[in-house]
Amino acid sequence: MTTTANDVTAARNVDFQPASGDSQAHQVLALIAQHRLLTTTQLHRMVAPHLPPRKIHKVLVPLRGDGLITHATLPGRLQAHFLTPTGHQTVAEWPELRGRNPNPIHSPAAALLRAGHILTGARAHIAFLTDARTRGDEYQPLDWVPEITHRLPDTAGEDRLIADAVFHYTATSPRRLQYRAFVEIDRATMSSERLARKLITYARFHDYTPQPATRRGTVGDQAAMLAWQRVYPRFPRILFILTGAPRTTLTNRIADLRSMATDHELVARMGTRVPLGAAVLDDIEASGPQAPVWTPLTGNGEPRGWTEL
């Protein structure tokens, strides 16, 4: 039988097609690197929710045996996995993680100190991911990027805007629409006033125009684009996700966010151009993020889905 060029190409494609187990191991390492810390259950729900939970253990055990990951034991005997130094070296040049430089977790003790905030953000991400899969929308496990930093030198002493996460989401029905959102995770560990002040920092970033420098390093007169336009095609909506306190407390904190969005001139101006909303994490998980569980921070405050803010 004669072997054609097409046969050779097909054979090569088969040779270079990774096994499904290898693909899952790659994805698990990338997700742990991106989030810094994830439980076994969260990895299962992100990577293979259609498979029995025990399948994720078959991916994790070899990674632990190869010295790429280790874990901390949380209350309730939950295991939260993070990369070892060898694991960080392994993923350092992966294209999907390019440009990411999060603070690594070096020990189980450090993992326990950071677990509350990191794993709460992962819970929110999984709620969006589960809903997107149900709807057939385009939103993948790596589309939620934690701890995005933007330099902002003129923010009255705050020289950085650090968003808890930024995510990218494409709705496919009834028509194709792309969304981006900044996410702030609030576990009621800071004062309500301090939480609301985050809106001021976002408003400063929204309006901030870096002054261009001339060849001699002095500020020029030519117009410069807004700082955010160098990164985003449009300014992402801002979503506050609240948990960690009784319902009355969370409701009051949302009311304080609405007051800031109304009373502060800079924030109010941003609110005319950028959708702003807040929701309780339990409601997002119970009903889905597209349900009317979000309170707009501007306007009449009638609850709605996150894409309708």
Side-chain angles (χ1 to χ4, degrees):
M1 185 173 74
T2 303
T3 301
T4 67
N6 287 339
D7 293 331
V8 173
T9 301
R12 287 175 177 170
N13 288 340
V14 171
D15 290 341
F16 286 96
Q17 183 67 30
S20 61
D22 294 337
S23 299
Q24 288 180 355
H26 183 104
Q27 192 172 17
V28 163
L29 279 179
L31 285 168
I32 295 174
Q34 184 145 297
H35 288 267
R36 295 187 297 160
L37 188 71
L38 289 171
T39 68
T40 305
T41 300
Q42 288 174 335
L43 284 166
H44 171 248
R45 294 186 66 185
M46 289 184 191
V47 175
H50 56 289
L51 296 177
R54 68 179 181 274
K55 295 292 186 179
I56 201 69
H57 290 280
K58 293 185 177 181
V59 178
L60 293 170
V61 170
L63 295 177
R64 189 178 299 121
D66 291 340
L68 300 175
I69 64 171
T70 186
H71 69 272
T73 302
L74 306 177
R77 303 186 67 180
L78 288 173
Q79 291 187 350
H81 308 276
F82 58 98
L83 297 187
T84 64
T86 301
H88 280 288
Q89 291 175 2
T90 299
V91 305
E93 301 301 323
W94 286 6
E96 61 266 48
L97 299 172
R98 193 164 292 148
R100 297 286 298 131
N101 189 28
N103 264 335
I105 292 175
H106 296 293
S107 68
L112 291 172
L113 289 173
R114 300 181 184 182
H117 190 75
I118 294 174
L119 298 181
T120 300
R123 281 176 58 191
H125 169 41
I126 289 169
F128 280 90
L129 187 60
T130 301
D131 191 61
R133 285 167 173 163
T134 300
R135 295 174 176 275
D137 290 340
E138 296 175 11
Y139 181 68
Q140 300 300 321
L142 288 172
D143 286 338
W144 175 289
V145 185
E147 295 188 8
I148 293 296
T149 299
H150 293 292
R151 301 295 300 180
L152 193 53
D154 61 348
T155 54
E158 286 191 329
D159 65 347
R160 293 181 298 171
L161 165 65
I162 304 177
D164 286 333
V166 173
F167 73 78
H168 308 265
Y169 188 106
T170 301
T172 58
S173 179
R175 59 194 179 99
R176 187 176 180 85
L177 292 171
Q178 293 183 326
Y179 298 91
R180 290 171 182 80
F182 290 118
V183 180
E184 290 295 327
I185 302 295
D186 173 46
R187 298 187 299 123
T189 56
M190 66 176 69
S191 70
S192 185
E193 180 184 358
R194 184 179 170 193
L195 173 68
R197 282 208 310 268
K198 287 191 172 184
L199 281 168
I200 301 176
T201 304
Y202 278 106
R204 290 184 181 277
F205 179 51
H206 178 265
D207 283 4
Y208 175 51
T209 304
Q211 292 299 310
T214 65
R215 291 181 180 178
R216 296 184 179 181
T218 59
V219 173
D221 295 329
Q222 67 269 33
M225 67 170 58
L226 295 166
W228 63 263
Q229 290 176 324
R230 301 181 179 185
V231 185
Y232 306 104
R234 66 175 60 88
F235 198 87
R237 63 193 56 214
I238 303 171
L239 305 177
F240 287 82
I241 298 176
L242 295 84
T243 188
R247 174 72 60 164
T248 301
T249 300
L250 300 181
T251 300
N252 289 338
R253 292 171 79 83
I254 292 174
D256 291 342
L257 287 168
R258 278 182 54 82
S259 294
M260 178 65 77
T262 301
D263 298 342
H264 193 283
E265 181 180 353
L266 202 60
V267 179
R269 185 166 67 246
M270 177 182 67
T272 64
R273 302 179 178 92
V274 178
L276 312 172
V280 174
L281 179 56
D282 286 347
D283 295 340
I284 297 171
E285 291 179 318
S287 302
Q290 290 283 13
V293 297
W294 296 86
T295 300
L297 302 186
T298 58
N300 61 18
E302 180 182 352
R304 62 200 68 179
W306 75 275
T307 59
E308 298 171 346
L309 290 167

